Amino acid sequence: MASSYPAPGFYAPADDRYDSMEYACCGKSGLKLPKVSLGLWNNFGSVNVHENARQMLLTAFDLGVVHIDLANNYGPLPGSAEETFGRVLDSDLRAHRDELCLSTKAGYNMWKGPYGDFGSRKYLISSLDQSLKRMKVDYVDIFYHHRPDPETPLEETMGALADIVRQGKALYVGVSNYNAEQTAKAADILKSMGVPLTIHQPRYNMLDRWVEDGEPSLCDVLLARGIGAAVFSPLAQGLLTDRYLNGIPADSRAASPCVFLNESGVKPEIIAKVRKLNKIANDRGETMAQLALAWVLENPAITSVITGASRPEQIIQNVKTIEKHVPLSDEEKKAIRAILAE
């Protein structure tokens, strides 16, 4: 695999790109996802350096990371991550479209007025039409409703997803940020329409384990109904790495204006846990990030982890999780649970 790629139009993918990556069926569907996926939430917008985004996308593809996760509002500016992907598809990956699994979403605020947010049929269908134009594709492989809508009937939202599949604009549909009860209801409604709920995209990591809570838990619902899961924020915005073990680096996300992680989120009690977890990782010959990703993937309800990146090297490091990880022993799992419960 090349560490730096030639000018657009001269890229040739690595012949061994499928040799090391592991793929798993998404729930009871035939759709296989790589254990590690690439999310374009940050660092792929119009404010970012396009060539760096291109290098990351090509690095991912050369490593077998064929699942690329987007949303209508990813950027910044909103929509620009999809535009970035569309540019790279045209310049380098067009011939390999059928090797890629592309996902996008709608559900958060995208444009002004009553039709640019939440879960109405009008918003979801018009948003996807815009996404397809930005990404320069005729269809996406997965289309998600991004979050529950307290005002729109769930039957309307799921009906829109079912029609999107029938129209050929998406091959599979999913939901994101739905709790266990909402997910079960959505699956029932879609099933009645002859379209399966194939995938859920929840937040899940060592520090945020809500998907395990409740009777039934979201994990219970996913396993019982054959729904796959691609989880976001498996590294807790970088907290579950060695990045903050000795303070907050000046060039880190926590030191930036990021609303999802700032200095107040780097709490001493969290870092104390991460230090102990990091020791377990190091004793295993892994990095903290690799342990965190592998721990999520050992949950039988999880199909793939969606990882972000700011440079190609991070993608390479994340993929090494699959190549070198040895399953956790019962003793290690017990030790990890004890640390997380502190």
Side-chain angles (χ1 to χ4, degrees):
M1 184 197 70
S3 58
S4 181
Y5 292 97
F10 294 92
Y11 165 71
D15 290 336
D16 62 352
R17 59 189 179 278
Y18 297 115
D19 290 355
S20 298
M21 177 57 66
E22 292 183 20
Y23 301 87
C25 283
C26 190
K28 292 181 179 178
S29 77
L31 178 66
K32 291 185 177 181
L33 297 181
K35 288 288 189 176
V36 176
S37 301
L38 179 63
L40 273 57
W41 182 22
N42 290 299
N43 303 311
F44 292 85
S46 56
V47 301
N48 303 112
V49 177
H50 177 77
E51 182 56 27
N52 185 55
R54 174 177 172 264
Q55 296 279 329
M56 288 192 286
L57 282 163
L58 299 185
T59 296
F61 188 65
D62 271 354
L63 291 169
V65 180
V66 292
H67 178 211
I68 308 299
D69 182 74
L70 297 114
N72 59 352
N73 62 344
Y74 287 179
L77 299 170
S80 60
E82 290 179 329
E83 290 173 346
T84 294
F85 175 81
R87 286 180 62 187
V88 177
L89 183 70
D90 262 355
S91 65
D92 300 280
L93 292 171
R94 177 65 63 184
H96 308 284
R97 166 63 183 99
D98 290 336
E99 295 182 57
L100 294 166
C101 179
L102 305 179
S103 62
T104 195
K105 319 175 195 71
Y108 283 92
N109 183 263
M110 184 60 187
W111 61 82
K112 294 180 180 180
Y115 312 127
D117 200 357
F118 277 114
S120 71
R121 176 182 180 85
K122 180 172 176 59
Y123 173 45
L124 295 184
I125 292 177
S126 58
S127 177
L128 179 54
D129 286 344
Q130 292 179 24
S131 291
L132 296 177
K133 290 177 182 177
R134 286 191 290 263
M135 298 170 71
K136 301 182 180 181
V137 294
D138 297 324
Y139 70 95
V140 290
D141 299 278
I142 301 169
F143 182 64
Y144 294 91
H145 183 221
H146 210 163
R147 63 168 170 171
D149 182 347
E151 296 184 349
T152 301
L154 193 57
E155 289 79 6
E156 177 178 339
T157 302
M158 294 303 109
L161 294 186
D163 283 346
I164 282 167
V165 171
R166 296 187 188 107
Q167 292 164 4
K169 295 177 181 178
L171 303 184
Y172 305 88
V173 289
V175 295
S176 181
N177 297 304
Y178 277 48
N179 64 28
E181 181 181 4
Q182 293 164 335
T183 301
K185 288 181 179 178
D188 286 342
I189 294 169
L190 280 170
K191 184 178 181 180
S192 73
M193 297 175 177
V195 175
L197 178 61
T198 300
I199 190 167
H200 192 302
Q201 188 174 135
R203 175 185 169 100
Y204 180 47
N205 58 60
M206 283 178 157
L207 301 175
D208 187 357
R209 300 167 61 190
W210 73 272
V211 302
E212 303 172 10
D213 298 334
E215 293 290 340
S217 69
L218 178 60
C219 287
D220 293 333
V221 170
L222 299 179
L223 288 169
R225 293 171 179 265
I227 302 168
V231 304
F232 69 91
S233 200
L235 299 178
Q237 299 295 311
L239 285 174
L240 288 168
T241 69
D242 58 9
R243 191 86 163 109
Y244 300 101
L245 295 181
N246 299 301
I248 300 176
D251 62 345
S252 67
R253 180 173 295 181
S256 73
C258 178
V259 298
F260 300 102
L261 179 65
N262 51 44
E263 291 189 16
S264 65
V266 188
K267 299 177 180 179
E269 59 269 29
I270 292 177
I271 299 306
K273 290 183 181 182
V274 177
R275 287 197 180 102
K276 294 177 182 179
L277 294 169
N278 187 58
K279 184 179 185 306
I280 293 176
N282 292 165
D283 288 345
R284 290 172 51 84
E286 296 178 338
T287 66
M288 180 62 241
Q290 287 172 326
L291 177 66
L293 294 177
W295 181 86
V296 170
L297 286 169
E298 288 200 17
N299 183 325
I302 306 307
T303 313
S304 180
V305 289
I306 300 173
T307 59
S310 59
R311 57 187 186 277
E313 291 76 16
Q314 292 174 328
I315 299 171
I316 296 170
Q317 190 73 7
N318 289 339
V319 169
K320 286 183 179 178
T321 299
I322 302 302
E323 296 177 358
K324 62 184 293 189
H325 179 73
V326 176
L328 293 163
S329 67
D330 290 341
E331 292 77 12
E332 288 170 328
K333 291 178 182 178
K334 182 178 179 180
I336 289 171
R337 285 195 295 267
I339 293 170
L340 297 178
E342 291 177 356

